Amino acid sequence: APSPTHPHPSVRLAFLPAMLARAMLRISSSPVGVSAPVGRGVFRGPTSSSPSVGTRSNDAPKQKLTSFSTQVFGARRRCLHTSLYAMISADTAPTEVTPQPKHVSLVQGASRGIGFEMVRQLLEMPDAGLPGRPNAANGHVVATCRDPAGSLALTELLKKHPTRLSVVKLDVEKTETIAAAAEFVKKKLGRVDVLCQTAAVLHVKSGSFSMAPETSIARLDEHAMMKAYRVNAMGPTLVAKHFADLLTNGTKLSLAGSEEGSGDGETKNTGKHAIVANLSARVSSLGDNKLGGWHSYRASKSALNQLTVNCAIEFARKKFPVTFILLHPGTVDTALSEPFKKNVPPENLFSAERAASQLLKIIGEKTQEHTGTFVDWADTEVRW
């Protein structure tokens, strides 16, 4: 990229004639017989012993030399003028710059279920489904998942919103993909205002590995427990770590760009702090646990609660604070709850569309004073 020490190539080329003129001027003004450098080589001037050069008492060579010097100086002056014009033109010529969006929402775990519905509504709802955050309307949305190419739903959504949607690979079990996703967002967008983390694991049956909610401690499997902790607790916390600077910058830009008159001659700030919304579950509650079981899932979500509160405390102390909240979406008709929904009354089984709408509304309304809180889909506090 152009810089004071490494200017644009066109500017460097524009200076070549001036450099040559200066070198020629040095030659013309150098004592006869002294070497004058030109470029990287050395030009050897004629010497007094040269048969082609007359004696120094002859004034004709001096006059010719003076005339030559004057011509070179004039050429040098014209070249410098041209070079300066080229430099100014290069500095002031319009360049194509992608404007920084006024709002960026990122959904982690966006290929299906609640996460996908959040992405769709953020793009297609008039207010992006985030009341209280007007800049979210027509803002940019980042959808992350483990396999972007394999998500047909996101591919179709990208076709409809090519300028407002970015689909990025992020696997919470692979830290390098988290770091790469953060770097992508940093370079392209420079901020994150809303981060919704929906990815979770409850049951898996893939090849030789399987996991399911344990009904007895006898069914505990160390690999299943570690996977639950990695995906449900460690993963979202690592995402918060790698996106921390983008989140604080979201707060900074939002607060700086939202001042307006209050009507009494004073200015008030209407911007909102960046917010991280982690999807937890009521079964994470110690106070609400009356049934036991589901050891790995319960414990991993309880760990997520603790880590989220820790982040809420730490980020509240920053110069540009970030809000952290926990949400219980209720029982939603997704792949996560598929094996268990037959026991749920129809009126308590939410569609992904309804769940996403309810949760986005809560996220939009929350402020920094709510950081570290845990509420359900109806915005009712959940016991720790």
PDB file of all heavy atoms in Angstrom, residues 120-132:
ATOM      1  N   ARG A 120     -32.398 -14.438   9.096  1.00  0.00           N
ATOM      2  CA  ARG A 120     -33.439 -14.049   8.137  1.00  0.00           C
ATOM      3  C   ARG A 120     -34.201 -12.817   8.611  1.00  0.00           C
ATOM      4  O   ARG A 120     -34.441 -11.873   7.840  1.00  0.00           O
ATOM      5  CB  ARG A 120     -34.417 -15.211   7.906  1.00  0.00           C
ATOM      6  CG  ARG A 120     -35.414 -14.960   6.782  1.00  0.00           C
ATOM      7  CD  ARG A 120     -36.465 -16.042   6.695  1.00  0.00           C
ATOM      8  NE  ARG A 120     -37.344 -16.017   7.879  1.00  0.00           N
ATOM      9  CZ  ARG A 120     -38.346 -15.150   8.035  1.00  0.00           C
ATOM     10  NH1 ARG A 120     -38.587 -14.213   7.136  1.00  0.00           N
ATOM     11  NH2 ARG A 120     -39.100 -15.210   9.116  1.00  0.00           N
ATOM     12  N   GLN A 121     -34.587 -12.800   9.877  1.00  0.00           N
ATOM     13  CA  GLN A 121     -35.354 -11.669  10.386  1.00  0.00           C
ATOM     14  C   GLN A 121     -34.507 -10.404  10.495  1.00  0.00           C
ATOM     15  O   GLN A 121     -35.012  -9.292  10.266  1.00  0.00           O
ATOM     16  CB  GLN A 121     -35.981 -12.029  11.735  1.00  0.00           C
ATOM     17  CG  GLN A 121     -37.056 -13.102  11.615  1.00  0.00           C
ATOM     18  CD  GLN A 121     -37.722 -13.460  12.928  1.00  0.00           C
ATOM     19  OE1 GLN A 121     -37.855 -12.620  13.819  1.00  0.00           O
ATOM     20  NE2 GLN A 121     -38.141 -14.714  13.061  1.00  0.00           N
ATOM     21  N   LEU A 122     -33.250 -10.539  10.831  1.00  0.00           N
ATOM     22  CA  LEU A 122     -32.365  -9.376  10.874  1.00  0.00           C
ATOM     23  C   LEU A 122     -32.259  -8.725   9.498  1.00  0.00           C
ATOM     24  O   LEU A 122     -32.113  -7.507   9.374  1.00  0.00           O
ATOM     25  CB  LEU A 122     -30.976  -9.789  11.355  1.00  0.00           C
ATOM     26  CG  LEU A 122     -30.834 -10.065  12.850  1.00  0.00           C
ATOM     27  CD1 LEU A 122     -29.531 -10.807  13.148  1.00  0.00           C
ATOM     28  CD2 LEU A 122     -30.885  -8.763  13.657  1.00  0.00           C
ATOM     29  N   LEU A 123     -32.361  -9.535   8.456  1.00  0.00           N
ATOM     30  CA  LEU A 123     -32.266  -9.028   7.092  1.00  0.00           C
ATOM     31  C   LEU A 123     -33.601  -8.530   6.551  1.00  0.00           C
ATOM     32  O   LEU A 123     -33.636  -7.565   5.778  1.00  0.00           O
ATOM     33  CB  LEU A 123     -31.733 -10.120   6.161  1.00  0.00           C
ATOM     34  CG  LEU A 123     -30.262 -10.515   6.330  1.00  0.00           C
ATOM     35  CD1 LEU A 123     -29.974 -11.811   5.580  1.00  0.00           C
ATOM     36  CD2 LEU A 123     -29.345  -9.402   5.844  1.00  0.00           C
ATOM     37  N   GLU A 124     -34.696  -9.158   6.940  1.00  0.00           N
ATOM     38  CA  GLU A 124     -35.966  -8.918   6.261  1.00  0.00           C
ATOM     39  C   GLU A 124     -37.021  -8.186   7.069  1.00  0.00           C
ATOM     40  O   GLU A 124     -37.985  -7.672   6.492  1.00  0.00           O
ATOM     41  CB  GLU A 124     -36.531 -10.258   5.759  1.00  0.00           C
ATOM     42  CG  GLU A 124     -35.590 -10.938   4.749  1.00  0.00           C
ATOM     43  CD  GLU A 124     -36.121 -12.246   4.203  1.00  0.00           C
ATOM     44  OE1 GLU A 124     -37.159 -12.731   4.734  1.00  0.00           O
ATOM     45  OE2 GLU A 124     -35.507 -12.793   3.263  1.00  0.00           O
ATOM     46  N   MET A 125     -36.851  -8.095   8.376  1.00  0.00           N
ATOM     47  CA  MET A 125     -37.802  -7.324   9.170  1.00  0.00           C
ATOM     48  C   MET A 125     -37.502  -5.836   9.031  1.00  0.00           C
ATOM     49  O   MET A 125     -36.335  -5.436   8.969  1.00  0.00           O
ATOM     50  CB  MET A 125     -37.728  -7.733  10.645  1.00  0.00           C
ATOM     51  CG  MET A 125     -38.173  -9.157  10.907  1.00  0.00           C
ATOM     52  SD  MET A 125     -39.946  -9.385  10.663  1.00  0.00           S
ATOM     53  CE  MET A 125     -40.575  -8.521  12.112  1.00  0.00           C
ATOM     54  N   PRO A 126     -38.540  -4.978   8.981  1.00  0.00           N
ATOM     55  CA  PRO A 126     -38.312  -3.536   8.798  1.00  0.00           C
ATOM     56  C   PRO A 126     -37.365  -2.933   9.828  1.00  0.00           C
ATOM     57  O   PRO A 126     -36.543  -2.081   9.498  1.00  0.00           O
ATOM     58  CB  PRO A 126     -39.721  -2.950   8.921  1.00  0.00           C
ATOM     59  CG  PRO A 126     -40.640  -4.069   8.550  1.00  0.00           C
ATOM     60  CD  PRO A 126     -39.966  -5.317   9.026  1.00  0.00           C
ATOM     61  N   ASP A 127     -37.468  -3.379  11.089  1.00  0.00           N
ATOM     62  CA  ASP A 127     -36.587  -2.860  12.132  1.00  0.00           C
ATOM     63  C   ASP A 127     -35.526  -3.879  12.524  1.00  0.00           C
ATOM     64  O   ASP A 127     -34.905  -3.758  13.585  1.00  0.00           O
ATOM     65  CB  ASP A 127     -37.393  -2.449  13.363  1.00  0.00           C
ATOM     66  CG  ASP A 127     -38.128  -3.623  14.009  1.00  0.00           C
ATOM     67  OD1 ASP A 127     -38.170  -4.708  13.380  1.00  0.00           O
ATOM     68  OD2 ASP A 127     -38.652  -3.459  15.122  1.00  0.00           O
ATOM     69  N   ALA A 128     -35.326  -4.873  11.643  1.00  0.00           N
ATOM     70  CA  ALA A 128     -34.380  -5.972  11.890  1.00  0.00           C
ATOM     71  C   ALA A 128     -34.775  -6.795  13.116  1.00  0.00           C
ATOM     72  O   ALA A 128     -33.995  -7.601  13.602  1.00  0.00           O
ATOM     73  CB  ALA A 128     -32.955  -5.456  12.056  1.00  0.00           C
ATOM     74  N   GLY A 129     -35.996  -6.578  13.614  1.00  0.00           N
ATOM     75  CA  GLY A 129     -36.454  -7.308  14.788  1.00  0.00           C
ATOM     76  C   GLY A 129     -35.799  -6.860  16.064  1.00  0.00           C
ATOM     77  O   GLY A 129     -35.918  -7.528  17.094  1.00  0.00           O
ATOM     78  N   LEU A 130     -35.059  -5.735  16.013  1.00  0.00           N
ATOM     79  CA  LEU A 130     -34.319  -5.239  17.179  1.00  0.00           C
ATOM     80  C   LEU A 130     -34.833  -3.858  17.578  1.00  0.00           C
ATOM     81  O   LEU A 130     -34.203  -2.836  17.269  1.00  0.00           O
ATOM     82  CB  LEU A 130     -32.822  -5.168  16.874  1.00  0.00           C
ATOM     83  CG  LEU A 130     -32.080  -6.494  16.693  1.00  0.00           C
ATOM     84  CD1 LEU A 130     -30.680  -6.247  16.143  1.00  0.00           C
ATOM     85  CD2 LEU A 130     -32.012  -7.270  18.003  1.00  0.00           C
ATOM     86  N   PRO A 131     -35.956  -3.774  18.253  1.00  0.00           N
ATOM     87  CA  PRO A 131     -36.457  -2.468  18.681  1.00  0.00           C
ATOM     88  C   PRO A 131     -35.454  -1.790  19.607  1.00  0.00           C
ATOM     89  O   PRO A 131     -34.812  -2.441  20.429  1.00  0.00           O
ATOM     90  CB  PRO A 131     -37.756  -2.816  19.425  1.00  0.00           C
ATOM     91  CG  PRO A 131     -37.584  -4.245  19.853  1.00  0.00           C
ATOM     92  CD  PRO A 131     -36.779  -4.886  18.770  1.00  0.00           C
ATOM     93  N   GLY A 132     -35.318  -0.480  19.464  1.00  0.00           N
ATOM     94  CA  GLY A 132     -34.348   0.236  20.287  1.00  0.00           C
ATOM     95  C   GLY A 132     -32.975   0.330  19.655  1.00  0.00           C
ATOM     96  O   GLY A 132     -32.092   0.997  20.182  1.00  0.00           O
TER      97      GLY A 132
END
